[in-house]
Amino acid sequence: MAKAGLIFTTDYEIFGNGSGCVERCMIEPTERMASILEKYGANLTLFVDVCEYWAFEQEFASGKLKKDWAVQIKAQLQDLAKRGHDIQLHFHPQWLDYSFDGKNWTLNYDLWRIGKLKYEDLEFPERSLKNLFAKGKKTLEQIITPVKESYKCHIFRAGAWSMQPEKDVLKAMKENGFDIDSTVASGLSFQDEFTFYDFKNSPNEASWKIDEDLNSISMDGKITEIPIFTTEMPLSKKVKFLGLKKKKGIAMKPQGCVGTSLATAGKGRLAKLTEVLSEKRKMFTFGDATSFEEMTYFAKRAIKRAKAFEKDIFPTVAISHPKTFANERELDSFLEWVSKNNKDIEFTNYNRI
């Protein structure tokens, strides 16, 4: 009988349409998140969107961006690495083709899904998957190895979970030494104007080897898929947890973080509520105004699954975003609960699985 092993992850980025500022939507909430985890002996894996990092570097050098956001990001990543947190790769490819007028970013949403990029692109070689993974890996290793010599960039998560069609993405990952992916949200699917993913037929496993297909087990696969933990949630529970968010007054965004998600832009409150209530499964998130009660619901479901697992640790990946992390008290209470229930659940990370 295994324990549930909690892996805390955060997709480190501003909003996908270029709104938000680095200080309020990334640096400050990430520091609060990491400090709370450290209090209980847990650590964080940051999936860093290097595409926006490159844009920040370029526009500060051009003089249009008045604050050196890339330097601020670099300093935080180095500090967190020294404190025991992990830094891994994330792409939002719409940042590979942008314009910036000194105030607003205009991004190319035709590039939103990494699965639509070419393995080799003669017209735009910087957008080729082959070059993108090589440059992304090099960027993070150049940032982190000066403060942590043993560091290796070897784990990936696709932006907006939109890796499919994934064959060429996985090929580029293998060629660049990536051996873990954590994009799949088991059993979930979604499609709108920009985002597409379909994990409805993913294996009912804690992790699995993959080769050319995220949803298929490959015994000879060189990459291990460690999915984001999901579970079914009855309507009654969803209503209860939504009520708790309102009753507790949990903010959806950190104070001072002003930005809009592309997925929810233009949607009214009723449309958003209908979308949430219609979901049959949910990802385990410890941000997004999630209450202590909802986090423990996910954890208890993970513990139940772990009891039927043969290995020592059942990897349980939880996801968050600094730009929607304002539930510090709820996370603190949850981590205290985990610490008191350590016979069934513990803190871990990808490198221990």
Side-chain angles (χ1 to χ4, degrees), residues 2 6 40 83 107 119 132 153 161 179 181 190 193 265 268 271 350-351:
L6 284 172
Y40 294 94
R83 287 157 57 183
L107 309 179
Y119 176 74
L132 195 56
C153 178
W161 309 278
D179 56 10
D181 179 73
F190 181 81
E193 184 181 356
Y350 290 106
N351 295 315

Side-chain angles (χ1 to χ4, degrees), residues 57-106:
E57 275 190 317
Q58 186 169 325
E59 292 311 309
F60 180 75
S62 76
K64 289 183 181 178
L65 185 61
K66 302 307 178 185
K67 293 185 178 181
D68 196 344
W69 282 352
V71 162
Q72 292 181 53
I73 289 169
K74 180 178 179 179
Q76 181 167 60
L77 296 180
Q78 289 181 332
D79 177 58
L80 291 170
K82 287 190 287 186
R83 287 157 57 183
H85 303 284
D86 197 14
I87 315 299
Q88 296 297 336
L89 190 63
H90 192 54
F91 291 137
H92 277 280
Q94 68 268 25
W95 286 92
L96 298 175
D97 182 26
Y98 71 86
S99 62
F100 182 60
D101 63 7
K103 184 178 180 181
N104 298 308
W105 302 90
T106 301

